[in-house]
Amino acid sequence: MRNGKYSAQALAIAMVVLVISSIIAISVYSRILKDKGLSLEERASAEALEISDLILNKLTLYPINDVITALEADPFDYAVGSQVKESKDGKNITALFSRLEINYNLDDAGFCKTEDGNEYILTVKEADANTPYEIRAGQVWALPVDGKNFDSECRLSLRVLKGDTNAGFLITRSYAKYSAGKVTEYKEYDYDDAEAYCFADNSACNNTDLFKDQDSWVKYVSGSVLTTVLDPATPVYTGYRLSEIRVKAIGGNIGIAYTMGTDSNNNACIDGYRMIQLRAAAYCNNVYRGKEILVPEKKWSNALFDYVLLNGEGSL
């Protein structure tokens, strides 16, 4: 009887151990499946982002107006934009590449192939007036006016948004004489051609350590509209026309957004000066990732040497 009792206890203990072992095994297996799923999702996410980067890198090799022409949407509606999709049912982005003489098939990347049910999406449209174009500290954004004749209703309404609270920015204008549309002479810089701004929520710059000479900086509330009459420009220099407006970020990153004309839909005013939004996205194994960039419609180049030095210690 005692042996039978011990056998029953041993069987009960063995069952408990077996149940606990099964629970542990199921938990470990569940964790392995979860980790595997997360790894696959992370990989698909990275591949989707890489495909998006690849599409944008190919397209930004060409002037944005060439890309718009290759979209074959005539006339192109900048407000609505155009969307191009690529899947196993249609290689439309690859066809767009072909029209731009880019000899590349996106499936040649070797991952996230459309044959596996994945999809790529490209959207091209005019950037919203509230979508900022980022300028990193020390970098410059320029709007080439090139002496164009604007009427008094064609105004540049520029808004600067603080990416960094303690940043500032410098707006400079350059002037030139033109003959047959070509520059014949540039005007020397004058103090009145530059305006320095610091972000301020009150009567003082937010960053008093960087902008020590407070009287030299215009206090600017983030998002306020800066309206500039493009032509005739202020100040007016006899014989010279406005050539370029430049915005330089100081002490931190900033974002800019602008419209042209008293009517935001004044195409005659903004034509050629739009900010175009390129957005590329991809579905890879049901994971969606995308990336977007802003491209100025009018191409511009940085000056080789910018000799305006800002140390925050004295007047500009």
Side-chain angles (χ1 to χ4, degrees), residues 143-161:
L143 180 69
V145 179
D146 294 333
K148 181 178 177 180
N149 288 317
F150 293 96
D151 59 38
S152 60
E153 294 299 316
C154 192
R155 297 172 180 267
L156 170 65
S157 297
L158 179 71
R159 293 187 300 116
V160 182
L161 311 174

Side-chain angles (χ1 to χ4, degrees), residues 80-149:
V80 175
S82 179
Q83 190 175 84
V84 184
K85 295 183 179 181
E86 177 138 346
S87 66
K88 63 181 180 181
D89 297 325
K91 308 295 183 180
N92 298 318
I93 298 180
T94 297
L96 173 64
F97 285 174
S98 180
R99 291 193 290 273
L100 288 167
E101 299 183 356
I102 302 173
N103 185 23
Y104 188 83
N105 187 321
L106 286 168
D107 281 335
D108 290 342
F111 54 85
C112 188
K113 294 186 176 183
T114 54
E115 281 82 357
D116 300 328
N118 299 311
E119 184 180 50
Y120 317 142
I121 304 169
L122 170 68
T123 305
V124 182
K125 61 178 295 187
E126 182 179 358
D128 184 88
N130 294 316
T131 302
Y133 181 88
E134 183 182 15
I135 310 175
R136 296 186 180 276
Q139 293 185 346
V140 174
W141 169 82
L143 180 69
V145 179
D146 294 333
K148 181 178 177 180
N149 288 317

Side-chain angles (χ1 to χ4, degrees), residues 23-311:
I23 293 174
I24 294 174
I26 292 173
S27 299
V28 171
Y29 181 68
S30 177
R31 181 59 183 268
I32 291 174
L33 288 180
K34 184 178 180 179
D35 288 345
K36 182 179 179 181
L38 290 174
S39 297
L40 291 175
E41 184 176 336
E42 184 176 347
R43 177 179 176 180
S45 177
E47 290 180 352
L49 188 59
E50 189 165 349
I51 287 291
S52 301
D53 270 328
L54 179 60
I55 294 172
L56 293 178
N57 288 340
K58 293 291 184 183
L59 293 179
T60 50
L61 293 174
Y62 294 81
I64 189 62
N65 284 327
D66 289 356
V67 176
I68 291 174
T69 300
L71 289 171
E72 296 183 334
D74 189 22
F76 184 79
D77 190 329
Y78 287 93
V80 175
S82 179
Q83 190 175 84
V84 184
K85 295 183 179 181
E86 177 138 346
S87 66
K88 63 181 180 181
D89 297 325
K91 308 295 183 180
N92 298 318
I93 298 180
T94 297
L96 173 64
F97 285 174
S98 180
R99 291 193 290 273
L100 288 167
E101 299 183 356
I102 302 173
N103 185 23
Y104 188 83
N105 187 321
L106 286 168
D107 281 335
D108 290 342
F111 54 85
C112 188
K113 294 186 176 183
T114 54
E115 281 82 357
D116 300 328
N118 299 311
E119 184 180 50
Y120 317 142
I121 304 169
L122 170 68
T123 305
V124 182
K125 61 178 295 187
E126 182 179 358
D128 184 88
N130 294 316
T131 302
Y133 181 88
E134 183 182 15
I135 310 175
R136 296 186 180 276
Q139 293 185 346
V140 174
W141 169 82
L143 180 69
V145 179
D146 294 333
K148 181 178 177 180
N149 288 317
F150 293 96
D151 59 38
S152 60
E153 294 299 316
C154 192
R155 297 172 180 267
L156 170 65
S157 297
L158 179 71
R159 293 187 300 116
V160 182
L161 311 174
K162 56 184 179 185
D164 294 329
T165 303
N166 294 328
F169 57 95
L170 178 71
I171 297 180
T172 58
R173 300 179 182 86
S174 62
Y175 298 84
K177 291 182 178 180
Y178 291 85
S179 177
K182 295 184 178 180
V183 175
T184 59
E185 177 188 339
Y186 281 102
K187 188 189 77 65
E188 293 184 1
Y189 284 117
D190 189 277
Y191 283 115
D192 291 335
D193 299 338
E195 297 171 308
Y197 296 83
C198 66
F199 287 120
D201 296 324
N202 48 47
S203 58
C205 298
N206 291 340
N207 190 342
T208 55
D209 291 331
L210 178 61
F211 308 111
K212 294 182 178 180
D213 186 1
Q214 295 282 311
D215 293 336
S216 297
W217 299 87
V218 179
K219 313 309 182 289
Y220 178 78
V221 177
S222 177
S224 301
V225 176
L226 295 168
T227 302
T228 303
V229 180
L230 292 177
D231 192 17
T234 302
V236 177
Y237 298 102
T238 303
Y240 292 97
R241 303 188 67 82
L242 186 62
S243 176
E244 184 181 68
I245 295 174
R246 296 164 64 86
V247 181
K248 183 172 186 177
I250 302 170
N253 300 343
I254 64 173
I256 61 171
Y258 72 90
T259 57
M260 292 178 67
T262 53
D263 179 358
S264 60
N265 296 318
N266 185 352
N267 291 330
C269 181
I270 200 171
D271 192 29
Y273 294 89
R274 296 178 179 85
M275 193 72 76
I276 305 299
Q277 181 186 66
L278 287 180
R279 178 175 179 81
Y283 285 96
C284 292
N285 297 322
N286 296 319
V287 176
Y288 177 87
R289 289 294 299 276
K291 186 175 182 179
E292 67 181 33
I293 59 174
L294 300 184
V295 181
E297 187 179 12
K298 193 173 181 65
K299 294 186 70 64
W300 52 272
S301 301
N302 285 330
L304 294 177
F305 179 58
D306 188 341
Y307 58 82
V308 177
L309 302 178
L310 302 164
N311 59 13

